[in-house]
Structures are given as structure tokens and as C-alpha cells.
């Protein structure tokens, strides 16, 4: 049964920075190509994220060249002031160190495998347009999907809010190649309260999601078949992994 089409493809080359929208990419065994492939570590070698430093969301990361399986294209970092630097340039990192009073280092994973950890609990995070629209109406403000850091936004054929939660344990086929198993809902934290444009905090959004929807929004999915994925690909719901 077709449930919708892909209306947004979003990857985050640097964990906790705002990512980039793409029109096509590869789904690897760990998720979208290059998603959370570059990370910042603090003095304890823990991931340095929006949780510790909310202004990090105002830094944007994008790949500077086509995808390669030998090595990632070097990300370009755009600062809140609009300055651009290569990942290898330490200027942007020193700026964040000064603002956060932290000593930071960088780490890059290999294109063939980004481990669970930088990619949180599962390979891919999915949201739907109907659920976002319903949350916007309830909250009384336009809800920027980037707050939820999804990889895929699905435009549903039938605009039923939160229908994606009924897909748990089932499989989505996307386009001709990609198969994803829907694993569980995503439990939310303070990250959704941070406005990706301004860095300002809106704690009432998290309270709204907690009160009205059990603090859950979006669905985690596991890659069971890799391949190319494109904007406007059809999304089909199948019951079995080999549907």
C-alpha cells in the first residue's frame, strides 16, 4: 500500500549542526550517506551537542562535492554570521571553544560505516507532514521540522496525524531499492526547544509534546536494504521484510 512520497531528504554531516537538504543520496547500512559522519568531542571525548551548547544549531554543515565511498567530501561550515570555512580550518572550532569555554576536538568516521551513537538510537529518523501540521496547530506556531532533526519527511496521501506510529514493526519500501524497518517512536528532549534559526529556546514546545503525545514524535527506522533514494520517491508500507 502506498502511504506517501518523500518530500524532504535531510542529512547532518556534522552532529548537532544544522544539516542540508538534498534531492538524492545513498542509503548506507548506517543511514543516509554521511549523516553524523563528522563529530565534535569535548574534553571527556563525549559528543559535544546542542544539549551542552544550544548555539551549535546555528552552525550549518554541508558537503562540498559529490559523494564518494573512499572518503567524504570535506564539509563546509557556515557560522551564524554567515562566514564559511572548511572542516579542516580550525577557525570555526576555536570560535565555538571561546563561546562555550570548552576544549574541543574533531573526529571523522569512514563512509562505509558510521556507528550507532553519533546517529543516536537507530539509522534513520522519519516524520510526516500531517503530524507536523497538527503539532503546529496545537502549539499555535509554525513548527520547523529541523527542530526534530529528521532524515526523511513523508508527505502522506491520507493526512492522518501520527499514523506513522501504527507502522512500528513494519517495513517501508522507498523507491525501487531502499527498505527500512520501522523500529519505535522517538522520545524527545530539550533539543526540540531550540530554534534552528535564532538559537532561542521555546520550552513550551517540549511541554506540549510531552503532555499531548507522551513525549514522542517521529519514528526511528533501521536500514534493511541499501540503495539510492530521491525526492518524490514513492513510499510503500509492507508487512514483511521481504515484501
Amino acid at each position: 500500500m502506498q502511504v506517501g512520497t518523500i518530500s524532504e531528504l535531510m542529512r547532518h554531516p556534522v552532529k548537532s549542526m544544522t544539516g542540508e537538504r538534498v534531492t538524492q543520496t545513498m542509503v548506507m547500512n548506517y543511514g543516509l550517506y554521511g549523516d553524523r559522519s563528522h563529530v565534535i568531542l569535548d574534553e571527556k571525548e563525549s559528543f559535544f551537542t546542542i544539549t551542552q551548547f544550544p548555539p551549535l544549531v546555528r552552525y550549518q554543515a554541508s558537503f562540498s562535492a559529490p559523494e564518494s565511498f573512499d572518503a567524504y567530501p570535506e564539509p563546509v561550515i557556515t557560522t551564524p554570521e554567515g562566514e564559511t570555512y572548511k572542516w579542516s580550518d580550525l577557525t570555526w572550532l576555536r570560535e565555538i571553544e571561546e563561546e562555550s569555554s570548552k576544549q574541543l576536538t574533531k573526529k571523522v568516521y569512514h563512509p562505509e560505516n558510521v556507528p550507532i551513537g553519533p546517529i543516536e538510537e537507530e539509522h534513520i529518523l522519519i516524520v510526516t507532514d500531517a503530524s507536523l501540521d497538527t503539532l503546529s496547530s496545537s502549539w499555535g506556531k509554525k513548527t520547523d521540522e529541523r527542530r526534530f532533526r529528521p532524515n526523511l519527511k513523508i508527505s502522506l496521501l491520507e493526512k492522518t496525524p501520527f499514523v506513522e506510529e501504527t507502522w512500528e514493526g513494519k517495513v517501508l519500501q522507498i523507491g525501487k531499492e531502499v527498505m527500512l524497518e520501522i523500529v519505535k517512536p522517538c522520545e524527545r528532549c530539550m533539543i526540540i526547544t531550540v530554534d534552528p534559526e535564532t538559537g532561542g529556546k521555546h520550552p513550551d514546545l517540549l511541554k506540549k509534546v510531552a503532555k499531548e503525545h507522551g513525549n514522542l514524535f517521529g519514528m526511528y527506522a533501521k536500514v534493511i536494504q541499501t540503495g539510492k533514494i530521491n525526492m518524490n520517491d514513492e513510499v510503500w508500507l509492507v508487512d514483511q521484510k521481504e515484501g
Side-chain angles (χ1 to χ4, degrees):
M1 176 180 71
Q2 185 182 357
V3 293
T5 58
I6 299 296
S7 59
E8 296 277 2
L9 282 171
M10 291 165 276
R11 67 181 173 202
H12 309 85
V14 179
K15 182 177 175 65
S16 267
M17 289 187 181
T18 291
E20 60 177 343
R21 291 182 171 93
V22 296
T23 58
Q24 62 179 26
T25 188
M26 285 293 297
V27 173
M28 309 292 287
N29 59 3
Y30 55 81
L32 297 193
Y33 174 92
D35 193 48
R36 279 85 165 187
S37 56
H38 296 64
V39 299
I40 306 170
L41 304 176
D42 64 16
E43 301 98 324
K44 298 178 181 179
E45 296 194 349
S46 298
F47 297 124
F48 183 71
T49 70
I50 298 168
T51 304
Q52 292 89 4
F53 185 63
L56 191 59
V57 76
R58 297 190 64 212
Y59 288 77
Q60 194 261 343
S62 58
F63 286 123
S64 58
E67 298 171 5
S68 167
F69 297 124
D70 296 323
Y72 291 113
E74 184 170 15
V76 172
I77 310 300
T78 304
T79 71
E81 294 73 33
E83 300 291 334
T84 58
Y85 300 97
K86 292 182 178 180
W87 169 259
S88 56
D89 188 330
L90 293 178
T91 304
W92 63 269
L93 187 67
R94 297 293 175 253
E95 178 181 301
I96 294 173
E97 284 183 322
E98 184 175 346
E99 291 183 24
S100 65
S101 301
K102 296 280 189 179
Q103 289 185 325
L104 304 173
T105 56
K106 301 181 293 182
K107 182 174 181 177
V108 183
Y109 298 98
H110 191 274
E112 293 295 338
N113 184 47
V114 177
I116 294 295
I119 308 184
E120 302 304 337
E121 298 183 45
E122 275 298 345
H123 303 146
I124 282 177
L125 185 59
I126 295 171
V127 298
T128 67
D129 59 347
S131 298
L132 284 164
D133 289 345
T134 296
L135 180 58
S136 292
S137 296
S138 176
W139 189 35
K141 304 173 189 175
K142 175 67 176 175
T143 308
D144 189 330
E145 63 260 27
R146 293 178 299 171
R147 289 178 179 269
F148 300 95
R149 306 190 68 77
N151 300 115
L152 306 179
K153 179 181 174 182
I154 298 175
S155 176
L156 296 171
L157 296 181
E158 295 185 15
K159 305 299 184 185
T160 306
F162 304 106
V163 68
E164 60 272 20
E165 294 181 2
T166 69
W167 301 343
E168 186 172 341
K170 297 183 179 181
V171 169
L172 294 184
Q173 178 177 332
I174 303 176
K176 297 180 179 179
E177 299 176 345
V178 173
M179 304 281 279
L180 305 177
E181 181 182 357
I182 304 299
V183 177
K184 63 180 178 179
C186 177
E187 185 172 356
R188 292 301 173 174
C189 67
M190 63 75 61
I191 285 176
I192 71 169
T193 70
V194 182
D195 188 319
E197 289 293 334
T198 67
K201 293 184 181 179
H202 301 94
D204 54 325
L205 177 59
L206 183 59
K207 291 177 182 177
K208 176 72 65 176
V209 173
K211 181 180 179 180
E212 296 186 0
H213 211 67
N215 206 37
L216 304 174
F217 194 89
M219 298 297 289
Y220 281 122
K222 177 172 64 177
V223 176
I224 57 177
Q225 186 168 302
T226 61
K228 286 186 179 180
I229 192 170
N230 301 274
M231 280 273 291
N232 301 317
D233 272 352
E234 294 180 352
V235 180
W236 293 77
L237 183 67
V238 295
D239 289 325
Q240 303 298 324
K241 294 185 183 181
E242 295 182 2

